[in-house]
Amino acid sequence: KYNTRWEKRFGVSAEMISVIYNGVDTDIFSPGDKKNTNVPTVVSIARIDPIKDIITLIEATEIVVQEIPDVKVIVYGSVSVEEYYDECVKKVEELGLGENFILAGHTNDVPSAYLMGDIVAASSISEAFPYSVVEAMMCGKPVVSTDVGGIAEALGDCGILVTPRVPAELAEVIIKLLNDPE
């Protein structure tokens, strides 16, 4: 429903608007055993682009490492802005997170990528109705995400929302979820 604000802004009456949500194939995206069982792992499926705010996730990882030193944060996604990718790599190096933060690149097996993690994180500064949040939930993964666009609508009560561009808040929820096996 978040996206209907544009139709309403341009004068379309609410009675003329019908929301059709993005579909997710439940034969492909379904719960399964964690593939990376020995290490606390956070997965993010996001292209490397400033709008996905990977820098905030990197900065949150620095905080998480203080409490969970062996945590792995794996970002699966293609590079759409090369300069931003370089900035992310530099930030990982500056913070000494080479063992903890992995820019894994594009994957053709997104369901398996979700199953690599204990939780899924999304740090975007803008979204419409994100497939990554819905797909993660379909894989049975708890989600921590920034509260932007249609994410709250997609997530419902199946995850935790945080303020965009606040690494400490994102880190706090990641720690809370990783420390709670339930």
Side-chain angles (χ1 to χ4, degrees), residues 6 10 12 19 29 31 33-34 39 42 50 53 58-59 71-72 77-78 85 93 106 109 114 130 136 144 171:
W6 291 108
F10 290 112
V12 177
V19 176
F29 294 94
D33 294 329
K34 182 182 174 207
V39 178
V42 179
D53 196 14
I58 295 167
E59 292 171 343
V71 69
K72 297 281 187 225
S78 57
Y85 172 79
E93 290 171 0
H106 176 77
D109 190 356
Y114 287 120
V144 55

Side-chain angles (χ1 to χ4, degrees), residues 4-180:
T4 65
R5 73 194 192 290
W6 291 108
E7 288 85 359
K8 292 174 185 170
R9 177 179 275 172
F10 290 112
V12 177
S13 68
E15 299 82 41
M16 299 296 295
I17 300 170
S18 180
V19 176
I20 301 171
Y21 291 100
N22 297 342
V24 175
D25 188 335
T26 58
D27 291 332
I28 297 172
F29 294 94
S30 58
D33 294 329
K34 182 182 174 207
K35 296 184 182 298
N36 182 12
T37 57
N38 297 327
V39 178
T41 306
V42 179
V43 168
S44 184
I45 308 290
R47 68 185 183 278
I48 310 305
D49 185 296
I51 205 161
K52 299 300 183 179
D53 196 14
I54 305 303
I55 295 292
T56 289
L57 185 56
I58 295 167
E59 292 171 343
T61 301
E62 179 188 30
I63 298 166
V64 174
V65 166
Q66 294 171 21
E67 182 148 336
I68 307 172
D70 59 338
V71 69
K72 297 281 187 225
V73 178
I74 307 170
V75 178
Y76 293 94
S78 57
V79 176
S80 65
V81 179
E82 191 68 39
E83 297 82 12
Y84 187 69
Y85 172 79
D86 294 342
E87 186 180 339
C88 290
V89 169
K90 182 179 176 185
K91 180 62 82 172
V92 169
E93 290 171 0
E94 282 175 6
L95 299 177
L97 297 174
E99 296 295 315
N100 303 97
F101 197 95
I102 301 159
L103 292 163
H106 176 77
T107 179
N108 288 322
D109 190 356
V110 175
S112 290
Y114 287 120
L115 296 179
M116 290 294 295
D118 296 291
I119 66 172
V120 173
S123 54
S124 298
I125 58 172
S126 178
E127 285 286 351
F129 190 84
Y131 274 103
S132 62
V133 168
V134 178
E135 292 168 349
M137 291 188 301
M138 294 304 296
C139 289
K141 298 299 175 178
V143 176
V144 55
S145 178
T146 49
D147 189 5
V148 296
I151 292 178
E153 183 179 353
L155 197 56
D157 62 356
C158 294
I160 300 174
L161 295 168
V162 298
T163 308
R165 293 188 167 146
V166 182
E169 192 175 330
L170 181 59
E172 178 183 334
V173 175
I174 289 172
I175 292 166
K176 174 183 177 179
L177 290 174
L178 288 176
N179 284 331
D180 183 357

